[in-house]
Amino acid sequence: MHPALSIIAFTTLSGFGYGLAAVLGLGLLDASAMSTKAAHILALGLIAVGLMSSTLHLRNPQRAWRAISQWRSSWLSREGLLAVLTFIPLIWSAWGAIIESRYLPVPGLFGTVGAIATVFCTGMIYASLRSVQAWYTPQTPLCFLLFAGAGGLNLATLAAIFNAGDVYILGLSAAAATAFAWIAKSAWRRRMLTAPPISTPETATGLAAIGRVRLWERPHSNENYLTREMGYRIARKHAEKLARISFTLGGAATVLLLLSTALFWATASSLAIIAAVVAVLCQTVGQFVERWLFFAEARHAVMNYY
Amino acid sequence: MTSLPSIPTPKRLGLVIDLDVCVGCHACVISCKEWNTGGYGAALSDQNPYGLDVSGTFLNRIHSFEVIPEGGEVIGEAGEARIVHFPKSCLHCDDAPCVTVCPTGASYKRGEDGIVLVEEDKCIGCGLCAWACPYGAREMDLAAGVMKKCTLCIDRIYNETLQEVDRVPSCVRTCPANARHFGDLGDPTSDVSIMVAERGGMDLMPEQGTRPVNKYLPPRPRTPLAANADGLGSVEETSGATGFFGWLDNMLDRI
C-alpha cells in the first residue's frame, strides 16, 4: 500500500496525543504544575495537527463534515465522530488544569475512555479491510492502542520530571507499555511475513483448474491509480533494515532510556532528564518508521491481477 | 446510507463474462470510457494524455493471463499453456465491502436492483472504498477528486429514449465477440442465470466473502495439440511395420 505521509503523520501524532490525553485523564500528574498544563496543550495540539493532517489526503475536504454521518457501518466514520466528541471532555479537562489548576475526574475519565475508543477505531479502519491481509487481524488495533499508550506514558514521564508526578512509576509504566507494544508488533509482523496468502492469482481469476496463473499483459502499459495506490513495493532488504531500525530505536532504546529515567531520577536527575528527552525522540522516530512500514509492506489483494 | 440492503434485492443485475470467448480486443474498455465520460457523474479524466506517462480513470480494464498446467511448459506434452483474456470491472457484490466502509454515505447499493453506485456530491475522495475492494474496481478520478466505478450503465439500461437493443451496458453492447452478457442474476430463469448454471459460472476471490453478483464463465477444456498431430504421439509404436522397415525394426531391437 502507498505510504501517504499525511496518514502516517495523522496516525502517529494523534496516537501520541490521544495516549497523552488518556494518561492526563487519569489524573496521574499534578494538575497545578506548569508541565501538566503544557502536556494538556501538547495533547490537544498533537490530536488537532494529526486530524488536520488526515484531511490533507482528501480530494474534496470541503465535504469532510459528512464523514461523521455513517457511524453505523463505517469505522472511519466512527473514528471521526469519536474524535469530535472526545474534544469536549479533553478541552474541559485542559480548562480545569490550565485555568483552574485542578484535576477534574469526570471529564478526565470520559476523555480517557474517548481517547482509547478513538484510537481503537483508527486501528479498526485498517483491521476491517479483508483485502489487505496483513492488516486484517485484531492484532492491528491492539498494536495501535499499545503504541498510543506507550507514547502517551513516555510524554507523561517527561512532564512528570518537571515537578508534576511520580517519575519512578510513570517511567516504569512507560517502559513496560513500550515493551508490550513492540512485542505485540513483532507478533503482528511475524504473522504478516509467514501467513499464507488468502488470495492468489489463481483464486483472483478462478483459473486454478487449468493451471498456474501468471500475468502476461497488463491492461495498460503505464501505471494507473490502482498500481500507484495498492501496488507500492519496497525491497525486502530495505524493509528488513527499516524494521530493525524501528524495533531498535522505538523499542529497545526507548525502553532502556525510560528505565534509566526511572532509576536515575532519585540520584542523578540531570541524567534522567536527558534520558527522558532522548526516549521521546527515539520513540517518535521508531514510530514513524513503524507506521511507514505498516503501509509500505502491506500487500493488497488487487495486486494478484498485476 | 452505507449499510447494505437488509433484505436480498429483488433483482440482482450484473454481467456474465465468458472467458472462453473474450479475445482481448479492449473494445469494451474504450466504449465504457466513451459512454461514461459523458454520462452519469464526473467525466473520466486522463492525466498527461499526450505525454509519456499518460494515465487515466477506467471503469473496465482487460488483463491477459498465461495459464500453465502442471508440466505444461512444453507444447504437446502435458496440456498446454494458454492465454486467457480477462475483463475486470465492478462485480456489484452482495456483501460489498466498499459500501460499508464509506464514511459519508456516498457509496451505496441500490435496494431495488443491487447496483453499487457512488453519489459523487457526497464523496470526499478519501479512497478507503478503493482500498476495501479486493478487485480494484474503484478508481479515484484525479481531476474531479471523487471515486468512479462501473454504474452498470444505469443511464442506458433504464433509458427509454434509447432503442431497446441499446438498453444494456455499453461494454455488452459493443463486444464484437459476444463475450459479455447482461441480465438479472437473481432470476434463475433469466438467460444469464441459465448460462451460469450450464457453464459452471464462478465467483472471483470467493474467499474474500464479497459474494459478487457478476459471474465468469471458465474457458472450455481444449483438445490438446498432441491429439491433433497425426503420428506425433505414436513414434514409439512400431509393431505395425512390415517389409524392409519391419526387418530393420526387428534387427535394431536385437542389437
Side-chain angles (χ1 to χ4, degrees):
Chain A
M1 304 295 292
H2 173 69
L5 193 60
S6 59
I7 301 291
I8 294 170
F10 156 59
T11 57
T12 309
L13 297 180
S14 72
F16 280 4
Y18 281 120
L20 181 56
V23 177
L24 289 170
L26 295 175
L28 297 176
L29 296 178
D30 172 10
S32 60
M34 272 316 282
S35 61
T36 307
K37 298 174 198 278
H40 272 284
I41 292 170
L42 179 67
L44 286 171
L46 285 171
I47 295 168
V49 169
L51 289 175
M52 271 189 276
S53 160
S54 78
T55 63
L56 289 180
H57 88 288
L58 303 181
R59 301 205 181 249
N60 275 298
Q62 75 281 7
R63 304 176 191 145
W65 60 272
R66 288 186 185 275
I68 57 172
S69 66
Q70 301 302 310
W71 49 271
R72 286 185 203 83
S73 62
S74 163
W75 283 104
L76 177 53
S77 187
R78 285 169 200 163
E79 184 213 34
L81 185 63
L82 278 170
V84 171
L85 290 180
T86 306
F87 264 114
I88 300 167
L90 292 188
I91 290 174
W92 189 354
S93 294
W95 177 274
I98 295 166
I99 308 293
E100 300 172 9
S101 289
R102 63 193 183 97
Y103 167 65
L104 305 170
V106 173
L109 292 175
F110 268 106
T112 301
V113 172
I116 291 170
T118 308
V119 173
F120 175 73
C121 289
T122 310
M124 281 309 294
I125 293 173
Y126 304 105
S128 65
L129 301 179
R130 203 193 295 216
S131 51
V132 185
Q133 193 182 348
W135 297 346
Y136 188 65
T137 161
Q139 291 177 20
T140 300
L142 179 70
C143 286
F144 272 73
L145 283 169
L146 285 171
F147 278 129
L153 282 166
N154 196 342
L155 289 170
T157 307
L158 189 59
I161 280 180
F162 300 100
N163 305 322
D166 190 334
V167 176
Y168 188 70
I169 296 287
L170 277 169
L172 287 185
S173 340
T178 309
F180 278 128
W182 288 94
I183 289 167
K185 181 68 195 182
S186 103
W188 183 93
R189 192 155 192 277
R190 202 173 323 116
R191 173 188 170 276
M192 179 189 73
L193 294 175
T194 56
I198 50 175
S199 292
T200 62
E202 286 75 27
T203 67
T205 57
L207 297 173
I210 304 178
R212 199 156 37 80
V213 177
R214 186 164 76 178
L215 183 69
W216 181 64
E217 203 168 56
R218 279 185 166 207
H220 294 79
S221 50
N222 285 348
E223 297 289 315
N224 60 38
Y225 171 75
L226 298 172
T227 59
R228 281 190 296 259
E229 189 72 12
M230 269 53 109
Y232 192 89
R233 292 277 171 82
I234 168 175
R236 193 175 297 160
K237 57 174 183 179
H238 294 315
E240 220 22 79
K241 249 179 225 166
L242 285 169
R244 242 176 279 147
I245 289 172
S246 72
F247 276 87
T248 311
L249 275 183
T254 307
V255 170
L256 287 177
L257 287 162
L258 284 167
L259 288 177
S260 329
T261 308
L263 296 179
F264 293 135
W265 174 239
T267 51
S269 59
S270 54
L271 208 62
I273 292 173
I274 294 168
V277 171
V278 179
V280 169
L281 292 177
C282 281
Q283 194 163 35
T284 309
V285 174
Q287 187 77 86
F288 264 98
V289 177
E290 180 275 329
R291 215 37 67 81
W292 189 86
L293 281 174
F294 176 79
F295 291 97
E297 282 195 293
R299 299 198 54 191
H300 193 283
V302 74
M303 292 318 287
N304 287 309
Y305 293 107
Y306 281 91
Chain B
M1 188 63 218
T2 56
S3 295
L4 291 164
S6 50
I7 47 164
T9 56
K11 283 207 275 183
R12 295 169 72 236
L13 296 184
L15 300 176
V16 171
I17 293 168
D18 193 339
L19 296 178
D20 198 57
V21 173
C22 177
V23 294
C25 70
H26 291 237
C28 55
V29 178
I30 302 306
S31 80
C32 166
K33 176 105 170 174
E34 189 277 333
W35 179 265
N36 285 295
T37 207
Y40 178 96
L44 301 173
S45 69
D46 290 315
Q47 278 65 49
N48 200 5
Y50 303 105
L52 280 177
D53 57 343
V54 50
S55 73
T57 316
F58 286 81
L59 311 184
N60 178 27
R61 291 183 186 264
I62 313 296
H63 299 240
S64 294
F65 295 103
E66 184 182 53
V67 194
I68 309 163
E70 187 66 42
E73 286 81 0
V74 181
I75 290 180
E77 290 201 346
E80 291 103 29
R82 58 190 289 177
I83 297 292
V84 178
H85 300 292
F86 196 93
K88 188 166 64 63
S89 54
C90 174
L91 308 175
H92 298 280
C93 303
D94 280 340
D95 277 340
C98 57
V99 169
T100 50
V101 298
C102 177
T104 68
S107 269
Y108 61 105
K109 185 173 173 71
R110 303 213 314 174
E112 63 269 34
D113 53 16
I115 299 178
V116 176
L117 289 172
V118 176
E119 198 175 325
E120 293 177 4
D121 290 345
K122 288 187 181 170
C123 178
I124 55 175
C126 69
L128 187 59
C129 56
W131 285 11
C133 172
Y135 308 105
R138 289 175 168 241
E139 298 191 18
M140 180 92 73
D141 188 87
L142 297 184
V146 293
M147 197 53 76
K148 301 296 295 186
K149 68 174 296 303
C150 164
T151 67
L152 218 54
C153 283
I154 198 154
D155 45 356
R156 288 177 70 99
I157 58 177
Y158 295 115
N159 190 340
E160 292 185 0
T161 63
L162 297 178
Q163 290 190 357
E164 196 163 353
V165 68
D166 287 325
R167 287 181 218 153
V168 292
S170 178
C171 57
V172 173
R173 184 73 181 100
T174 212
C175 179
N178 211 18
R180 307 178 70 103
H181 307 274
F182 165 71
D184 179 7
L185 286 141
D187 171 8
T189 62
S190 69
D191 287 350
V192 282
S193 296
I194 292 168
M195 205 182 304
V196 167
E198 284 178 355
R199 294 275 308 281
M202 59 196 181
D203 289 347
L204 305 184
M205 294 201 234
E207 69 280 2
Q208 292 279 342
T210 53
R211 298 199 296 130
V213 170
N214 284 14
K215 298 284 185 258
Y216 282 72
L217 305 180
R220 292 184 175 88
R222 244 190 213 170
T223 316
L225 207 55
N228 293 332
D230 270 346
L232 197 70
S234 59
V235 284
E236 300 296 322
E237 175 54 44
T238 56
S239 60
T242 54
F244 171 70
F245 288 111
W247 171 82
L248 192 60
D249 178 48
N250 206 3
M251 293 310 285
L252 285 170
D253 276 348
R254 288 184 186 191
I255 298 173

